[in-house]
Amino acid sequence: MNDAWTLRISEHDHVVVLALLSRGVRLQDARDLAQDAWARLVEAERAGRLERIELPGLVIRQAMFLLAERHRVLRRRVDVDVEVEVAAELPASGEPESIVDARRRLALVSATLEQVPPRGRQVMESLLASSDGHAQQAARIGLSVQRFRQVLCEVRARLRAAMGEDGR
């Protein structure tokens, strides 16, 4: 990396990190996303794909793109995990009505999870991906155990409401 990029990064990196923090991203994740965004811009400039460089706006947009991509990946992981769990409940053979009902429930759960805020999806993804206790999972995603459980309860309540269950 040349001195011009080093100077640009030192001047504008804090603004990029603050923009990510304002979106609820943890500090270390914000730094990582900012670093990835800068690396992509340096690479694009070297390859001659940038006509002009407006800082910090360009790098903030790149970082927000990377954040959105991360959320899409997490959302897809949660959807796949839910599909696997619901698919396990699908009858291997039997009544077509029960198969249709199970698929309807799967679509309903997936649609409900799409409307859950990013923090809720993050908690659900952590819960589905790990058998660790709530304390370890909460620490891993930067929440207190109480907040982790509160978010989990909120997501579960949304899912129950969507499924028309009465709190079972």
Side-chain angles (χ1 to χ4, degrees):
M1 188 176 325
N2 63 29
D3 290 335
W5 275 109
T6 303
L7 180 62
R8 290 172 177 166
I9 292 170
S10 68
E11 286 178 21
H12 300 290
D13 191 55
H14 68 284
V15 175
V16 179
V17 172
L18 287 175
L20 290 162
L21 290 173
S22 73
R23 294 289 184 113
V25 177
R26 288 183 14 196
L27 180 59
Q28 188 56 47
D29 292 337
R31 288 179 177 153
D32 291 344
L33 286 167
Q35 184 178 6
D36 290 345
W38 283 111
R40 285 189 179 202
L41 287 182
V42 169
E43 182 181 318
E45 195 258 345
R46 284 184 182 156
R49 294 189 310 256
L50 295 178
E51 293 178 20
R52 66 174 199 232
I53 301 174
E54 295 178 17
L55 296 175
L58 183 60
V59 73
I60 290 172
R61 283 190 300 278
Q62 181 65 47
M64 293 303 169
F65 171 79
L66 293 171
L67 177 62
E69 183 63 24
R70 181 180 284 183
H71 285 304
R72 276 191 293 277
V73 168
L74 288 176
R75 205 170 33 247
R76 182 66 192 137
R77 268 194 219 140
V78 169
D79 289 348
V80 167
D81 289 341
V82 168
E83 287 174 16
V84 168
E85 287 185 14
V86 173
E89 295 178 16
L90 288 174
S93 63
E95 303 287 325
E97 294 84 17
S98 61
I99 294 172
V100 168
D101 182 56
R103 288 191 175 146
R104 179 195 58 79
R105 288 185 296 139
L106 174 60
L108 191 58
V109 166
S110 182
T112 302
L113 286 174
E114 283 291 320
Q115 298 172 353
V116 171
R119 180 63 80 186
R121 285 192 300 270
Q122 188 178 25
V123 166
M124 287 302 292
E125 193 271 338
S126 174
L127 190 69
L128 292 169
S130 172
S131 61
D132 291 341
H134 289 175
Q136 294 89 352
Q137 291 181 44
R140 203 171 19 254
I141 61 175
L143 292 175
S144 68
V145 176
Q146 181 179 358
R147 181 66 182 140
F148 181 91
R149 289 179 177 158
Q150 180 183 8
V151 170
L152 180 59
C153 286
E154 291 168 359
V155 173
R156 286 178 172 165
R158 278 186 177 206
L159 290 171
R160 280 193 300 274
M163 299 295 289
E165 296 178 4
D166 55 3
R168 303 182 253 162

